[in-house]
Amino acid sequence: MAKLDSTTKQVQERGALQVQERGALAAPRDAEIHKDVQNYYGNVLKTSADLQTNACVTPVTLVPKYIRETLKNVHEDVTSRYYGCGLVVPELLENCQILDLGCGSGRDCYVLSQLVGEKGHVTGIDMTEVQVEVAKTYLEYHMEKFGFQAPNVTFIHGCIEKLAEAGVQKESHDIVVSNCVINLVPDKGQVLREVYHVLKYGGELYFSDVYASLEVPEDIKSHKVLWGECLGGALYWKDLAIIAQKIGFCPPRLVTANLITVQNKELESVLGDCRFVSATFRLFKLPKIEPAKRCRVVYKGGITGHERELIFDANFTFKEGEAVDMDGETAAILKNSRFAPQFLFTPVGAELLAAQGCSGLETKQRTQVWFPAPTWQLTTTCNSSSGGSDFWSPQALHTCGAQTFIQGKHPYWI
């Protein structure tokens, strides 16, 4: 027994040593990645025309008119240095406190500034000083353009995985946004923990980022250009839900997803079979509440730019005055967030376990994004409330009563 105890102790000591060694190796590597990213976005890229893939290019989509109008007011020198992969403008922003992770030259901040109004505030943080200086240079220009008496935008030079060190207070923001930046940080979990810390209860992280079809191989991770182009540091698509829920967020809610193409033969040869998408998700931070119940909701309408119809995510579109039966988890989000005053809620009975994400609705139209090789499909299907997948456990999915059925090798749905 003494010998066994001694052996066990030696194994534990070796394991602890290995952890220390990995930590010691990770710190220099993380510092090197930070330096490379700062160089890539501060010196290598001068405008979006210098990008070598479309990962950091926002896909052409139908942008609401009110957002198009705000974009027209942003200075050309700011928009020319924009490297986002999505549209990070959620609904119902009036008077909100918003934090933009990796704000770059400030394009999204200046768009959001107009939408929160003079009583709201937008804070942008970025670790690339050159980008922050560009954003600050045009602060007075934009405030005058918007007709604001006092600035409602602040820019901070700092790291998004160290928000507390940068002076961002606990539970100080209604919304956190991020546009193709979290992938540039080695420790995604730390970023999400920081976000959870600074969000108010009922708040959300609304963000676009890049995701990979498999665990990104080391040769891709160590490729400086691919990391700078948002591919080398892309999160494996399964991991987002696991990391987010472990921290305390509700399961991620997919809004949109688009295939990334790499029109560069040299980079394509390095990527091999690894495929990528840019996707926009919502992550809500809710207070600890009782198990959610099924609910019937009616959208009252009136949200700016979404007066008649609110596309909440890929699964739920609410039309003004139309009753919708939904799962308890979605109802809990609507009831405990800034959206609560915009809906009428009527209980419809049986209690549900929010953690399982099951609605019990048999005929609800669902939208799913598939990730079969070699192409992506966006399909709408009518699902039953049961079913299964051998490729992803139901606990890792937020499906609201529908399992994801697979066409091809990989489903893309979180």
Side-chain angles (χ1 to χ4, degrees):
M1 179 64 72
K3 183 178 181 180
L4 181 59
D5 290 343
S6 175
T7 301
T8 301
K9 184 177 180 181
Q10 290 174 1
V11 170
Q12 291 174 338
E13 289 174 346
R14 282 200 302 270
L17 181 60
Q18 289 171 352
V19 170
Q20 292 175 356
E21 290 173 345
R22 285 197 297 270
L25 291 171
R29 180 178 178 182
D30 288 0
E32 183 180 352
I33 289 173
H34 282 162
K35 185 178 179 180
D36 290 341
V37 171
Q38 288 174 324
N39 180 62
Y40 199 72
Y41 284 87
N43 301 315
V44 177
L45 298 181
K46 300 301 181 183
T47 71
S48 56
D50 297 324
L51 293 166
Q52 298 189 45
T53 72
N54 73 345
C56 301
V57 178
T58 301
V60 178
T61 57
L62 184 60
V63 179
K65 182 180 178 180
Y66 78 101
I67 298 179
R68 294 200 304 271
E69 294 301 318
T70 63
L71 284 166
K72 291 178 183 178
N73 293 329
V74 181
H75 197 284
E76 182 181 355
D77 288 353
V78 171
T79 58
S80 68
R81 297 180 71 102
Y82 166 74
Y83 310 117
C85 64
L87 185 66
V88 290
V89 184
E91 316 81 13
L92 204 58
L93 301 181
E94 292 88 346
N95 303 327
C96 283
Q97 301 288 314
I98 300 180
L99 175 65
D100 183 3
L101 304 181
C103 64
S105 61
R107 193 204 79 157
D108 288 339
C109 286
Y110 287 127
V111 168
L112 295 167
S113 165
Q114 300 170 71
L115 298 176
V116 301
E118 288 190 85
K119 293 183 179 180
H121 193 272
V122 180
T123 300
I125 181 171
D126 201 284
M127 71 172 182
T128 305
E129 192 169 6
V130 173
Q131 289 278 68
V132 174
E133 289 306 312
V134 172
K136 288 181 176 179
T137 298
Y138 292 96
L139 180 59
E140 185 176 345
Y141 166 87
H142 286 103
M143 294 303 103
E144 183 177 341
K145 182 83 171 177
F146 305 159
F148 293 168
Q149 297 300 311
N152 71 342
V153 181
T154 303
F155 293 104
I156 302 172
H157 179 221
C159 296
I160 64 173
E161 67 271 45
K162 298 178 181 179
L163 296 179
E165 288 186 17
V168 183
Q169 299 299 308
K170 179 181 179 181
E171 297 177 13
S172 58
H173 287 79
D174 303 293
I175 303 166
V176 176
V177 300
S178 180
N179 203 336
C180 207
V181 172
I182 295 177
N183 66 82
L184 296 172
V185 178
D187 191 346
K188 279 72 169 170
Q190 180 59 27
V191 175
L192 294 184
R193 281 189 290 273
E194 290 286 305
V195 170
Y196 192 86
H197 181 78
V198 303
L199 271 176
K200 299 176 183 177
Y201 282 101
E204 72 165 316
L205 169 61
Y206 189 98
F207 67 116
S208 297
D209 219 282
V210 176
Y211 299 90
S213 62
L214 45 81
E215 293 281 0
V216 177
E218 193 59 38
D219 59 333
I220 297 178
K221 287 183 179 180
S222 60
H223 197 290
K224 292 184 179 181
V225 172
L226 288 176
W227 194 285
E229 293 279 327
C230 302
L231 302 179
L235 192 65
Y236 177 37
W237 61 273
K238 284 187 178 182
D239 290 342
L240 175 60
I242 297 170
I243 296 172
Q245 291 178 83
K246 184 177 180 180
I247 291 169
F249 285 104
C250 293
R253 308 184 73 90
L254 178 65
V255 180
T256 61
N258 295 277
L259 178 67
I260 291 173
T261 58
V262 181
Q263 298 173 337
N264 181 308
K265 295 297 183 183
E266 181 182 347
L267 295 180
E268 285 180 347
S269 65
V270 178
L271 293 174
D273 294 331
C274 197
R275 298 291 180 264
F276 301 87
V277 293
S278 60
T280 301
F281 285 97
R282 316 184 82 128
L283 281 177
F284 283 88
K285 174 184 175 179
L286 296 189
K288 306 304 179 184
I289 54 178
E290 296 179 359
K293 297 180 180 180
R294 286 181 56 187
C295 190
R296 179 169 293 127
V297 305
V298 177
Y299 173 47
K300 298 179 184 179
I303 295 178
T304 301
H306 309 272
E307 290 82 0
R308 298 296 180 88
E309 181 179 83
L310 173 62
I311 302 175
F312 190 69
D313 58 23
N315 284 334
F316 283 103
T317 295
F318 302 104
K319 295 184 178 180
E320 182 187 17
E322 183 178 291
V324 179
D325 287 353
M326 65 175 54
D327 61 287
E329 185 175 271
T330 305
I333 287 173
L334 295 178
K335 284 182 178 180
N336 293 278
S337 68
R338 67 187 186 281
F339 292 97
Q342 309 300 322
F343 287 86
L344 295 173
F345 299 89
T346 305
V348 292
E351 189 176 83
L352 295 175
L353 293 178
Q356 294 179 348
C358 294
S359 67
L361 303 181
E362 298 290 336
T363 59
K364 179 67 182 176
Q365 287 280 326
R366 318 299 297 170
T367 303
Q368 299 172 31
V369 178
W370 303 103
F371 188 6
T375 60
W376 291 62
Q377 301 173 7
L378 185 63
T379 63
T380 301
T381 59
C382 186
N383 296 296
S384 68
S385 60
S386 62
S389 163
D390 294 333
F391 293 82
W392 193 342
S393 67
Q395 290 76 17
L397 289 167
H398 169 76
T399 57
C400 297
Q403 300 296 333
T404 300
F405 292 90
I406 298 168
Q407 296 178 349
K409 189 175 181 180
H410 301 287
Y412 184 82
W413 203 99
I414 299 181

